[in-house]
Amino acid sequence: MSRTNRVVLLHTILPAYRQDFLEEVAYRLGNRFSAVAGLRSAPPVVTTEVSFPILSVRNRYFLGGRVYVQTGAAMLQALDAAVLIVDMNPRCLTTWLLVLLRRILGRRTLGWGHAFPRSGPDSGSDRVRSVLRSLCGEVCVYTFGQRRQLLEHQPKIGSVYVVPNATQRRVNPVSRGRRINLLYCGRLSVLKRPDLLVEAYACARASIPSGARLVIIGSGPMEERLRALVRDLGVEASVDFEGAVSDSQRLKGFYQDALVSVSPGYVGLALTQSLAFGVPMIIADDEPHAPEVELANSANSRFFNARSKEALSEEIVDVFRSRDDWIESSVTISNECQQYYTAEAMAKSFVAAATRRDEGHDSMEVFR
């Protein structure tokens, strides 16, 4: 295929939740589109699990995983593509090399990812990231808030596109059903604080319906510790560990039975997923959340004092007191989220950014 038509996405890894997005992009671009990725991230390890046909490269980590390079024949396609969208991770030395070489060759390169590191736009690490953004010249970020913040912080960057971060295609909101469980969906890691949820659930048990179970979806280094905590607190009979689940139909079944989902630590894509199904979320109020938290408002979420099991327990009880109201609002919650945050919308924005020169999209706003 002629280089003038090829669009290549280069990422460190492509987790299972990118499957729907990749299929939607391929539907729109056909064989013009290729995805290139390594198989494993640095610890904590996340792996490429999409069934979408990708071109594999090897991720080689150095200095304890603080920097890495990507090697393999597919890197030649990334260099030669008409449009290359790179993972905006300054720790990848290959990204810097590709961006510089393509800049010399006059080929279009877009950076894609979170606009800023978790430490924020005023951090030392963002000074490095800002150089990478400038070299790319065009950037795709995940939320409208990030776009506004980036243009204020770095007004000379050039074009900034919004590619709303989503995990799945458009879904129908869950029906009234049982809607009685508490749901945690995410990695079982210290930053996510799932142990706080287990403790809060144990505190709330006497004040919520006896059939209300805590369903934990995910895997990670805290799993055995959580299982032990559940046993110690005497709630083993009402807590379900379901492991990692990526199938959308299985996920919908869990959300179908959930009154509310909970993010006891920092929140990101779990919020867009929960709201898409029409299930509200209880969120810690003072954690280094991902930008997707801008979706949360008083109509779809409740906030509690971070790191307080008592505060979280009180919110859980309060949500059950208002159970009928939350269930009634499910359709509205789902529709407002899915106006922008679906795999279809994400792919539409991605393609519009990648093909701007062909399709004449306004560089200031691709999808809104």
Side-chain angles (χ1 to χ4, degrees), residues 1-10 32-34 36 74-85 98 102 105-109:
M1 180 183 298
S2 169
R3 175 184 63 77
T4 57
N5 290 323
R6 190 179 301 129
V7 176
V8 173
L9 169 65
L10 173 62
R32 295 174 58 189
F33 175 66
S34 298
V36 180
M75 301 309 295
L76 294 176
Q77 292 199 29
L79 176 62
D80 194 49
V83 180
L84 174 66
I85 298 93
L98 280 171
R102 288 177 58 84
L105 294 170
R107 295 173 188 169
R108 189 166 172 243
T109 306

Side-chain angles (χ1 to χ4, degrees), residues 21 115-116 212 215 251 264:
F21 162 73
F116 306 106
V215 179
L251 281 171

Side-chain angles (χ1 to χ4, degrees), residues 57-74:
V57 294
R58 183 174 178 181
N59 295 340
R60 299 172 181 265
Y61 296 94
F62 304 94
L63 301 177
R66 288 192 291 274
V67 297
Y68 63 101
V69 298
Q70 294 184 287
T71 60

Side-chain angles (χ1 to χ4, degrees), residues 1 14 32 44 49 139 255 258 313 332 367:
M1 180 183 298
L14 288 169
R32 295 174 58 189
E49 296 177 340
V139 171
Y255 281 99
S313 176
T332 300
F367 180 77

Side-chain angles (χ1 to χ4, degrees), residues 312-332:
L312 177 52
S313 176
E314 289 172 9
E315 286 296 340
I316 291 171
V317 173
D318 196 52
V319 165
F320 274 93
R321 291 195 186 107
S322 306
R323 179 174 179 269
D324 290 342
D325 293 336
W326 285 113
I327 292 175
E328 191 65 30
S329 66
S330 293
V331 173
T332 300

Side-chain angles (χ1 to χ4, degrees), residues 240-272:
D240 301 324
F241 287 87
E242 299 292 344
V245 178
S246 58
D247 179 77
S248 59
Q249 289 305 309
R250 280 197 69 201
L251 281 171
K252 185 170 184 176
F254 292 118
Y255 281 99
Q256 179 67 62
D257 291 337
L259 173 61
V260 64
S261 64
V262 184
S263 179
Y266 83 88
V267 72
L269 282 169
L271 175 61
T272 64

